[in-house]
């Protein structure tokens, strides 16, 4: 049972390492991808999208390596009492995983400035002027 829990405690650091290494060189091509970092700032342009994933990739590689070593050492040297701290160890990993996302928007603002161009909403062109009504007029075609 110990070895199964030992392996389970390494899942979050391994996910951080895998996604971090993947996103350093290949950010998700689809902005609606399931595994992607999406924020208002990262979705503004292709350049901010690539930068955000490169930044979070570096962060997760560093954090994942540190967590992997700390978790393995804690589970190995504390194997007599692993049941007592395993849940706290996994909660700590999850919190670190979640809080590592917050600095990305700050890095985007520092790199691209506060005036990152907002995405323009597409306004469909009007092709038939007869479909436009003047205010107060009703549609006589009904």
């Amino acid at each position: 049972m110990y070895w199964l829990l030992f392996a389970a405690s390494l899942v979050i650091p391994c996910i951080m390492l895998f996604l971090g290494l993947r996103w350093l060189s290949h950010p998700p091509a689809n902005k609606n991808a399931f595994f992607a970092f999406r924020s208002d700032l990262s979705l503004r342009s292709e350049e901010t999208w690539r930068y955000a994933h490169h930044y979070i990739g570096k962060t997760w590689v560093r954090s994942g390596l540190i967590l992997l070593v700390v978790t393995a050492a804690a589970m190995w040297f504390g194997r007599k009492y692993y049941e007592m701290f395993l849940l706290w160890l996994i909660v700590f990993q999850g919190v670190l995983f979640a809080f590592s996302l917050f600095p990305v928007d700050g890095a985007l603002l520092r790199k691209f400035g506060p005036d990152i161009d907002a995405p323009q909403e597409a306004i469909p062109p009007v092709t038939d002027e007869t479909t436009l009504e003047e205010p107060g007029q009703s549609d006589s075609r009904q």
Side-chain angles (χ1 to χ4, degrees):
M1 185 66 165
Y2 167 77
W3 292 108
L4 178 65
L5 294 176
F6 185 89
S9 70
L10 299 177
V11 168
I12 292 176
C14 288
I15 288 172
M16 291 175 81
L17 273 172
F18 173 76
L19 286 177
L21 289 170
R22 173 86 174 129
W23 287 353
L24 273 173
S25 57
H26 304 291
N30 184 359
K31 290 186 180 180
N32 293 321
F34 183 71
F35 290 110
F37 175 77
R38 290 182 297 276
S39 71
D40 289 339
L41 294 176
S42 69
L43 292 171
R44 298 271 170 106
S45 71
E46 193 62 34
E47 188 178 8
T48 58
W49 178 256
R50 283 191 312 271
Y51 181 79
H53 284 86
H54 183 76
Y55 185 87
I56 197 70
K58 284 192 307 189
T59 303
W60 280 356
V61 166
R62 291 178 193 144
S63 301
L65 283 173
I66 292 169
L67 272 180
L68 190 69
V69 170
V70 168
T71 301
M75 287 296 289
W76 180 257
F77 293 115
R79 61 183 169 267
K80 279 183 140 179
Y81 308 104
Y82 72 92
E83 293 139 346
M84 292 172 44
F85 67 85
L86 180 64
L87 178 63
W88 292 107
L89 186 64
I90 292 175
V91 167
F92 172 73
Q93 291 174 349
V95 167
L96 185 65
F97 186 75
F99 278 107
S100 67
L101 300 173
F102 292 118
V104 177
D105 279 344
L108 285 169
L109 285 173
R110 282 191 302 275
K111 170 121 174 124
F112 297 100
D115 298 327
I116 299 174
D117 293 328
Q120 299 294 321
E121 292 186 28
I123 300 172
V126 177
T127 56
D128 185 10
E129 292 184 84
T130 60
T131 60
L132 296 176
E133 294 181 17
E134 293 293 322
Q137 289 182 345
S138 63
D139 191 5
S140 60
R141 292 177 281 177
Q142 294 180 355

